[in-house]
Amino acid sequence: MKTFIVGNWKLNFNVGEASVYLHKIQRKIANYRDVEVVVAPTALCLQPLSLQLDRSKIKLAAQNAFYRDFGAFTGEISFAELKGLVNYCIIGHSERRYIFHEDDKMIAKKVAAAIRNGIRPILCIGEIESERAFGETADVIKDQLFGGLSEVSVEDISKVLIAYEPVWAISSTKDAKIATPDEIAEVVGLIRENLKEIYGAKIAEEVPILFGGSVKPTNAGAYLTVPGVNGLLIGGASLILDEFVDIIETAKRVK
Ligand code: PEP
């Protein structure tokens, strides 16, 4: 399986800044067959960046989209509109869940809409600090996984990527902590157990699972060698070109 290195730019970089970044990174990295490099700019950047993109080196992801393809939904963009522009879409990021109140039902519809439109969903799941403290991590993971995948058939699960992002480890969270490889390994094991329950043992092993939460060049290697981890979802460090490139190089080496 490839290693996935996904940069989530969130609400950073306007079109000009994003274009300069893309220009620079495409000069710095080669076509790494075993490492899939993906960046997720703001929606407004997707069209111009798609024209500038060297798809042999880097792919685009959207950060969000609405689950209906068209209609009276003021302010939304659809997966149907993103078709052809992006290969991936981040869905259910903790900022969408906790700032924009997206629940598992809505997230499931978005996952289904992405697949319907030929876009691979990167389904984000993860517990908040108090849930971990109260021993609820396994239940939260199960609920978010069963909820988010409720509309995904056994035929389509191969299109899905899961990102385990403990919310307490995301760098923008107040008093963020660093997750240890053991903590990650335990939850990744739970995720595979749940996937096995829904889709069977073989498929459970084939779904890529990414880790996200304060990934930096200094810890990327350790996280990428956690059993069952197939890539990284990176926020803050993906905004710093040299750090993101460093993480890509680490992924290439670890592979
Ligand atoms: C994220 O928000 O998805 C994330 C992983 O951010 P950071 O790398 O900054 O913790």
Side-chain angles (χ1 to χ4, degrees), residues 66-77:
F66 190 54
Y67 57 82
R68 295 283 290 269
D69 287 350
F70 58 88
F73 304 105
T74 303
E76 294 297 322
I77 60 165

Side-chain angles (χ1 to χ4, degrees), residues 177-203:
K177 304 190 175 51
I178 302 293
T180 66
D182 284 349
E183 287 169 330
I184 299 164
E186 193 186 342
V187 177
V188 168
L190 289 172
I191 293 171
R192 297 231 183 258
E193 279 301 311
N194 283 300
L195 289 171
K196 188 170 151 190
E197 205 179 307
I198 313 174
Y199 297 105
K202 184 170 177 295
I203 290 171

Side-chain angles (χ1 to χ4, degrees), residues 28-124:
K28 279 183 184 257
I29 63 170
N31 171 3
Y32 303 129
R33 226 180 331 127
D34 292 336
V35 182
E36 178 91 329
V37 181
V38 182
V39 291
T42 66
L44 212 53
C45 291
L46 293 171
Q47 176 89 55
L49 291 203
S50 77
L51 301 174
Q52 185 191 335
L53 197 65
D54 177 349
R55 287 184 171 73
S56 70
K57 293 183 180 176
I58 197 156
K59 306 278 195 317
L60 287 178
Q63 297 175 14
N64 175 44
F66 190 54
Y67 57 82
R68 295 283 290 269
D69 287 350
F70 58 88
F73 304 105
T74 303
E76 294 297 322
I77 60 165
S78 68
F79 289 96
E81 288 179 290
L82 293 173
K83 198 173 180 165
L85 288 183
V86 302
N87 290 77
Y88 299 89
C89 182
I90 298 169
I91 298 177
H93 189 278
S94 56
E95 287 151 18
R96 302 281 338 154
R97 290 177 189 266
Y98 298 107
I99 302 173
F100 299 99
H101 310 293
E102 289 191 13
D103 59 14
D104 287 324
K105 222 166 150 190
M106 172 173 283
I107 289 164
K109 287 183 183 166
K110 292 186 174 194
V111 169
I115 294 172
R116 184 171 74 236
N117 285 287
I119 294 167
R120 294 189 72 178
I122 302 172
L123 171 63
C124 299

